[in-house]
């Protein structure tokens, strides 16, 4: 029931012993390549499929907040291969229907001293981006949750040029604290 490439037994990561594993000690022996050679614009794909049906290939609609797929980045912390350093998740973000699957992407990272990732950035089903904000009400919503009084910085390290930030079509632009304009 397992396919193990590069080793004689499977390893457990994230409390799961996956049925398909590519294990190795070098650079090239742990890469997985998907290739497509065709005279068209279509490339290779990696598909994650989620259904609420308990039978393989059964059709039951997913629900709001269901995870459609997760990519975990796990590092050995000196004692095991259980700690997730970062994660990218696709999650249902609304009410699905026939040929209608509203989905958001959630990017999570683990802070120094923490044992699990925290959701940091979101791309909602309508294309809004939230950094530190899980329900952005504008195209880009950046919320400082770290308490270090940092917001947006535009920096240019080229001496012969200048840094520029443009806010096109803005009716209001504020700089400062306490509502100063």
């Amino acid at each position: 029931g397992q396919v193990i490439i590069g080793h004689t037994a499977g390893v457990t990561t994230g409390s799961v012993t996956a049925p398909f594993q590519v294990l190795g000690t070098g650079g090239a022996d742990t890469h997985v390549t998907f290739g497509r050679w065709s005279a068209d614009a279509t490339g290779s794909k990696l598909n994650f499929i989620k259904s609420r049906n308990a039978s393989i290939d059964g059709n039951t609609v997913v629900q709001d907040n269901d995870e459609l797929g997760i990519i975990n980045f796990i590092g050995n912390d000196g004692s095991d291969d259980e700690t997730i350093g970062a994660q990218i998740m696709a999650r249902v973000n609304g009410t699905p229907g026939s040929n209608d699957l509203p989905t958001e992407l959630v990017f999570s990272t683990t802070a120094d001293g923490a044992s699990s990732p925290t959701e940091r950035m979101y791309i909602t089903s309508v294309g809004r981006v939230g950094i530190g904000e899980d329900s952005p009400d504008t195209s880009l919503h950046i919320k400082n949750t770290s308490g270090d009084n940092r917001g947006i910085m535009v920096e240019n390290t080229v001496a012969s040029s200048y840094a520029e930030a443009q806010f096109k079509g803005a009716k209001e632009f504020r700089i400062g604290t306490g509502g100063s304009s």
Side-chain angles (χ1 to χ4, degrees):
Q2 282 188 313
V3 175
I4 310 296
I5 299 172
H7 195 42
T8 58
V11 298
T12 300
T13 57
S15 302
V16 174
T17 305
F20 177 75
Q21 298 182 26
V22 178
L23 309 170
T25 58
D29 61 357
T30 56
H31 291 209
V32 176
T33 301
F34 297 91
R36 178 178 174 143
W37 288 259
S38 60
D40 56 29
T42 306
S44 300
K45 294 174 177 59
L46 175 63
N47 294 318
F48 294 89
I49 301 171
K50 165 72 174 150
S51 171
R52 282 204 163 239
N53 197 296
S55 299
I56 293 176
D57 207 25
N59 295 311
T60 303
V61 66
V62 292
Q63 297 175 11
D64 190 28
N65 290 318
D66 279 1
E67 298 171 355
L68 299 179
I70 294 177
I71 300 171
N72 286 322
F73 300 89
I74 300 171
N76 188 292
D77 61 7
S79 61
D80 59 34
D81 296 317
E82 300 292 318
T83 306
I84 300 171
Q87 183 179 84
I88 301 171
M89 172 179 42
R91 179 170 59 200
V92 178
N93 180 238
T95 304
S98 180
N99 296 317
D100 175 22
L101 190 59
T103 304
E104 66 182 352
L105 283 177
V106 181
F107 297 82
S108 303
T109 60
T110 301
D112 189 15
S115 61
S116 62
T118 300
E119 295 180 359
R120 309 284 187 187
M121 187 176 91
Y122 308 80
I123 303 174
T124 69
S125 60
V126 295
R128 294 180 179 157
V129 176
I131 299 174
E133 173 58 49
D134 62 357
S135 299
D137 55 359
T138 59
S139 295
L140 174 61
H141 186 145
I142 301 173
K143 181 178 180 180
N144 181 1
T145 59
S146 66
D148 61 5
N149 295 324
R150 295 184 186 193
I152 300 172
M153 177 171 56
V154 178
E155 181 178 9
N156 186 349
T157 59
V158 179
S160 63
S161 189
Y162 60 92
E164 179 178 332
Q166 293 185 7
F167 298 87
K168 294 185 177 184
K171 293 183 180 180
E172 184 176 318
F173 176 70
R174 294 181 184 194
I175 299 176
T177 59
S180 304
S181 293

